[in-house]
Amino acid sequence: MEDTPHVMMAGEGALALALDMGMEKENLLTEDSEKAWKKWLEKSQYKPIINIENHDTIGLLAIDDNGDIAGACTTSGLAYKMNGRVGDSPIIGSGLYVDNAVGGAVCTGLGEEVIKSVASFLAVEKMRDGASPQEACQIAIDRIMEKSPHYKDFQVGIIALNKSGEIGSYAIHPYFNYAHHTVQENVLIDSKSAL
Ligand code: ASP
């Protein structure tokens, strides 16, 4: 965004740009991942399992002394996805959304469902309208569940932060937890969930 007039680059053009900018092309496949993938190929069944480590989004929201908010999320996406599949993490408003006037939200879980409800944007807009971060997270998860009759088969978790530093979180299923770090404490919190 700082070096081109665009917001998002993809595919071959993104690769060419990254190489032009001096980044190195690396193979990130580890021996263990290759073994697991070859085992998966025996059945080739695409069925993400809830709360099993087949996804790896790290979502972060931060606020400083001036009340300025920043957010980030990073993922390699769900395991064993189709070549070319785009998840929710890179799509602004889906996996992550921050409006420094209001707050931020970040999601993990089955990206397809997050994209369909534009869940992070929804949570931030609800905070803009006066919802607390906790209420906003619940509204976003409720929306995903309303839109997908198969919600029992997948997990989505969301965390949110507002300008006052208040936080919230919610998930479809239990066992979604997140860390809250302040100058006073560093705690792991079990999120509330719909089920
Ligand atoms: N949200 C990610 C995706 O669908 C998966 C994850 O939570 O790691 O690509």
Side-chain angles (χ1 to χ4, degrees):
M1 287 171 71
E2 287 164 7
D3 293 314
T4 79
H6 306 303
V7 168
M8 189 183 292
M9 304 291 286
E12 280 174 25
L15 176 61
L17 178 67
L19 294 173
D20 266 5
M21 292 178 73
M23 292 174 210
E24 271 174 38
K25 198 171 170 182
E26 282 178 66
N27 184 356
L28 299 175
L29 187 64
T30 63
E31 233 174 80
D32 284 353
S33 300
E34 189 170 8
K35 257 193 225 152
W37 175 64
K38 284 192 172 145
K39 190 158 180 3
W40 175 84
L41 277 181
E42 289 166 14
K43 290 193 181 153
S44 304
Q45 221 179 19
Y46 182 72
K47 203 173 174 212
I49 306 167
I50 298 162
N51 291 329
I52 298 285
E53 293 306 323
N54 57 4
H55 62 97
D56 62 357
T57 294
I58 297 170
L60 300 164
L61 296 168
I63 186 165
D64 69 10
D65 278 349
N66 300 323
D68 285 326
I69 292 178
C73 73
T74 167
T75 183
S76 57
L78 293 175
Y80 317 130
K81 57 193 173 279
M82 288 173 68
N83 188 9
R85 181 255 192 192
V86 178
D88 57 323
S89 300
I91 300 180
I92 296 166
S94 290
L96 170 70
Y97 192 69
V98 176
D99 182 336
N100 198 30
V102 177
V106 60
C107 296
T108 183
L110 188 60
E112 280 69 10
E113 301 301 331
V114 176
I115 292 170
K116 286 188 231 164
S117 290
V118 202
S120 296
F121 182 71
L122 176 61
V124 172
E125 289 309 292
K126 288 295 163 184
M127 291 194 284
R128 192 191 306 276
D129 292 344
S132 68
Q134 184 59 35
E135 287 162 346
C137 288
Q138 293 186 206
I139 291 168
I141 292 294
D142 286 349
R143 177 73 58 83
I144 290 172
M145 291 168 70
E146 255 166 58
K147 296 282 171 203
S148 177
H150 308 293
Y151 63 83
K152 286 192 179 153
D153 299 332
F154 62 84
Q155 172 70 309
V156 174
I158 181 167
I159 59 172
L161 169 74
N162 69 11
K163 282 300 266 186
S164 317
E166 294 165 329
I167 57 169
S169 76
Y170 205 57
I172 299 175
H173 294 270
Y175 308 118
F176 170 58
N177 57 23
Y178 63 103
H180 184 217
H181 182 80
T182 66
V183 271
Q184 289 89 25
E185 62 174 16
N186 189 10
V187 284
L188 199 60
I189 300 173
D190 285 325
S191 177
K192 289 189 183 140
S193 61
L195 299 178

